Amino acid sequence: MSGRVPAMAISPTEVRPEPASFRDPANRVFHVGDEVLRGLNTQAAEHWRALADSTFFPAFVAARKVCATEDAPSTLVPAATGTPWAAVLRHERIPFVSHPYEWSFSMLRDAALLHLEILRAALTDGFTTKDGSAYNLQWRGAEPVFIDIGSFEPVRDGEPWAGYRQFCQTVLYPLMLTAHLGVDFQPWLRARVDGIEADELRPLFGGARRLRPGVLTHLHLHGAMQHRNATASTTEVRDQLRAAGFSRELLFATVRGMEKLVRRLDHRAPESHWSDYQRTCGYSARDRVAKEQFVAAAVAAGSRPRLVLDLGANDGRYSRLAVGHADYVVAVEQDPAVVDQLYRKLRSEGQRRILPLVLDLADPSPGGGWRGVERAGFAERASADVVLALAVVHHLAIGRNVPLPEVIDWLAGLTVPGGAVVVEFVAPEDSMATRLLANKPAGLFPDYRRDTFEALLAARGRITDRLELPSGTRTLYRTVIGG
C-alpha cells in the first residue's frame, strides 16, 4: 500500500499503551520506541483487510489525507485481556500531537471538511466511520490528516452515521459558537473532552439566532430528538429510522449537507494588539537583523533539531527561520485570531513543517479526560530539541506575575536532555517592559534584572552564546540545558 512506514529495530520492553486509545475495545494503539502500532481484534482485522482492498482508502493515503498504514507482525504488541490481537498495524508517526482546543477556527473547519470528505468517499465505497470526533484528526504542519484507522467499518443500510453526535459536539457546535456569536470555542472544548452538549449551547441560540445556518437542524432539532429518545436503546432508534425509510442515499445527502454548512461557517476576528505586533513591538531595523541572525545560528548550532517550539510565535517570523534548520516547528501563540491568520498563510504556502497552535503560556493545556491522562498536557508532549522564547519572559514575569525562576524552570522543562533554550531578556527600562510595569505596584519585581536572569540560566545549563541587541535594552541567550 502507498505511504509505506519505515520499520525500526524495537524492544518489547518499550511497549506503551496510548492513554487516549481505550474507548473502542476492537482496537488499541501502542507506542513501541518511536513506532505507532495498533492491535486489532478479529472483527476489526476483517474490516481492515476490506478497507485496505477498497478504492477510496489507498487513494486518500496516497493524497496524504489519511495517515500511512501497513500490516506489522502481530507479536509486536501485548495481547488484550490474554487474547492475542488478530492483526497489528504500523502507522505513520505524527510529528506533534495537538488537541482541537489548541486549534484556530480555520484549522477546526478544515479538519471538519476533511473528515466529511473522507466519510462521503467511504460511503460510496461501502464504509462509514464509527465516530466523528475532532480528535480523529491531526496535522502535518498546516495540512490536516485523519489518523483513526480503527474507526472505519462497513456501512449498514438503514442506519444513521454513528459519529453524528460526536461530530456536532467536538466540531460543529464549536464552529457555530465562534462563527455565529464571535465567542472563542477553545475554552469550551478544553473544559470537556467529549465536547459541547446541545443543552449547553441551545440557550444561546434563541429568538432570531435560531435561524442562523445549521442552528435549527443540528442544535434545536437534534437536541429535541436526543430528549425524545433518551430512554430508547440504540437498536430501538435504528429500527425506528429503518421503519421511517432512512437509507444510505439519505445518509449521503446528510453528509453533503453538513459539508455545505461547514463551508459556509466563517469567522474573521477584529484586529487586536497582537495582530500587528511586529510593527508595534519597538524593534529597530538593526535589532531585527541582529535578532534574526542570532536565532538562525542558535537553531542551526549542533545536531539538526527534530522539534523546535516557538513560544509566542506571533506572525511566525522566527518559526520560518527555525524550520530552515529543523525538521518541525510548533508555533505557539495565545491570540486565536493571530494563530488563525498565521495558519491561513501557512496553508496557502503549502507549509507542512510548521504547526500553529493556540496556547496561553501562563495557562498551558493540562492533562484531561479519563484520569487526567487521556489527553496529554502540553508539557508532556513538548520534549523539544530547541525552545525559542523570544520577547516572552517579560510578559510572563511582569504581565502575569510568574516568578522569574519559575519561568526559567518551565522553559528548561520543555526541552529534551541537552536541548537548547534560546531566550530574550527585555530589560526593565525597555519601552515594552516599562508599559507592563506601569500597571503594577512599585517595587513588585525587585529581582527582575539581567544579572539575576543570567544567574538563573547558568544554574540550569551552559550559556553558549549571548548578544545584546543594538538598542541596548534587549539581550539574547542560547543556553544548553544541563550542559
Side-chain angles (χ1 to χ4, degrees):
M1 120 183 267
S2 60
R4 179 174 175 81
V5 185
M8 299 176 61
I10 55 177
S11 167
T13 60
E14 297 173 334
V15 176
R16 293 172 288 113
E18 166 56 51
S21 174
F22 67 89
R23 295 182 182 269
D24 184 355
N27 65 102
R28 184 75 192 266
V29 173
F30 298 86
H31 300 277
V32 183
D34 278 342
E35 292 203 301
V36 181
L37 304 170
R38 184 188 299 267
L40 307 175
N41 70 8
T42 301
Q43 185 180 58
E46 292 176 0
H47 293 168
W48 158 248
R49 285 189 282 271
L51 184 68
D53 290 336
S54 68
T55 300
F56 87 96
F57 182 77
F60 272 91
V61 172
R64 295 176 57 86
K65 295 181 177 182
V66 173
C67 70
T69 303
E70 65 183 11
D71 287 295
S74 59
T75 56
L76 291 182
V77 296
T81 62
T83 303
W85 295 108
V88 170
L89 305 180
R90 178 184 286 114
H91 296 306
E92 158 196 5
R93 187 176 185 86
I94 300 301
F96 188 88
V97 173
S98 60
H99 303 321
Y101 46 82
E102 298 168 338
W103 304 347
S104 72
F105 177 87
S106 296
M107 293 175 74
L108 183 61
R109 186 180 62 180
D110 285 352
L113 290 172
L114 176 59
H115 198 155
L116 292 171
E117 178 189 359
I118 292 171
L119 176 60
R120 179 164 47 82
L123 289 171
T124 62
D125 219 0
F127 285 85
T128 185
T129 55
K130 297 178 186 178
D131 51 47
S133 173
Y135 292 91
N136 287 352
L137 294 111
Q138 285 297 324
W139 296 87
R140 302 187 195 92
E143 177 185 79
V145 54
F146 190 89
I147 63 168
D148 191 7
I149 307 305
S151 179
F152 290 105
E153 66 177 359
V155 66
R156 291 179 287 272
D157 286 329
E159 293 189 5
W161 179 29
Y164 173 69
R165 180 176 179 179
Q166 270 190 328
F167 187 84
C168 286
Q169 292 183 182
T170 63
V171 179
L172 187 58
Y173 294 165
L175 289 175
M176 290 198 303
L177 182 68
T178 301
H180 294 330
L181 302 182
V183 175
D184 291 330
F185 66 81
Q186 290 85 2
W188 291 62
L189 273 185
R190 172 172 156 168
R192 184 177 297 168
V193 71
D194 292 327
I196 305 172
E197 297 277 356
D199 286 348
E200 295 176 302
L201 207 57
R202 193 160 46 247
L204 302 180
F205 284 93
R209 289 175 176 174
R210 293 167 62 96
L211 303 179
R212 296 186 181 182
V215 172
L216 187 60
T217 300
H218 298 289
L219 182 59
H220 287 284
L221 294 181
H222 180 212
M225 288 184 63
Q226 284 182 310
H227 285 293
R228 187 182 311 123
N229 296 306
T231 60
S233 68
T234 302
T235 301
E236 289 172 332
V237 173
R238 287 173 177 170
D239 289 343
Q240 291 173 15
L241 287 169
R242 287 195 185 97
F246 191 87
S247 63
R248 191 184 305 186
E249 290 72 23
L250 184 56
L251 174 57
F252 188 86
T254 300
V255 174
R256 288 298 298 266
M258 292 182 73
E259 276 189 286
K260 184 177 179 181
L261 168 62
V262 171
R263 289 187 189 280
R264 289 180 65 188
L265 297 176
D266 200 5
H267 177 67
R268 291 293 192 277
E271 292 292 314
S272 71
H273 167 72
W274 303 108
S275 301
D276 198 21
Y277 184 72
Q278 290 296 340
R279 186 179 64 81
T280 62
C281 62
Y283 288 105
S284 68
R286 292 176 63 207
D287 280 354
R288 289 184 189 279
V289 171
K291 184 174 179 177
E292 289 177 1
Q293 291 175 344
F294 183 91
V295 170
V299 175
S303 302
R304 181 179 177 87
R306 184 164 74 168
L307 175 65
V308 173
L309 295 182
D310 183 5
L311 306 180
N314 198 258
D315 65 358
R317 174 189 295 264
Y318 297 100
S319 294
R320 286 182 168 89
L321 279 176
V323 84
H325 307 281
D327 293 341
Y328 203 74
V329 176
V330 175
V332 172
E333 174 58 48
Q334 178 179 345
D335 191 327
V338 173
V339 175
D340 204 60
Q341 186 177 48
L342 174 58
Y343 167 72
R344 290 170 185 258
K345 290 180 180 178
L346 295 173
R347 180 186 61 187
S348 68
E349 298 165 5
Q351 178 57 256
R352 294 175 175 173
R353 295 194 295 123
I354 300 177
L355 171 65
L357 294 180
V358 179
L359 194 81
D360 181 353
L361 297 180
D363 184 21
S365 304
W370 174 243
R371 300 178 69 181
V373 298
E374 183 179 355
R375 304 299 174 189
F378 180 73
E380 286 71 44
R381 290 174 278 140
S383 297
D385 300 290
V386 177
V387 172
L388 302 182
L390 308 171
V392 161
V393 170
H394 60 300
H395 288 291
L396 293 174
I398 301 175
R400 303 296 287 273
N401 287 42
V402 181
L404 202 53
E406 293 275 347
V407 175
I408 302 303
D409 281 344
W410 185 65
L411 294 176
L414 296 177
T415 68
V416 299
V421 172
V422 182
V423 62
E424 180 175 7
F425 181 77
V426 177
E429 60 270 22
D430 183 271
S431 60
M432 289 299 295
T434 301
R435 190 182 308 173
L436 292 171
L437 288 166
N439 297 318
K440 303 290 183 176
L444 186 60
F445 304 103
D447 295 328
Y448 185 79
R449 305 191 312 269
R450 188 165 71 173
D451 58 341
T452 302
F453 182 77
E454 290 186 357
L456 290 169
L457 280 180
R460 288 155 182 81
R462 177 171 52 90
I463 299 174
T464 62
D465 295 284
R466 179 191 291 105
L467 174 68
E468 183 174 321
L469 295 181
S471 62
T473 61
R474 301 191 175 209
T475 308
L476 298 168
Y477 302 86
R478 179 182 184 273
T479 303
V480 176
I481 302 303

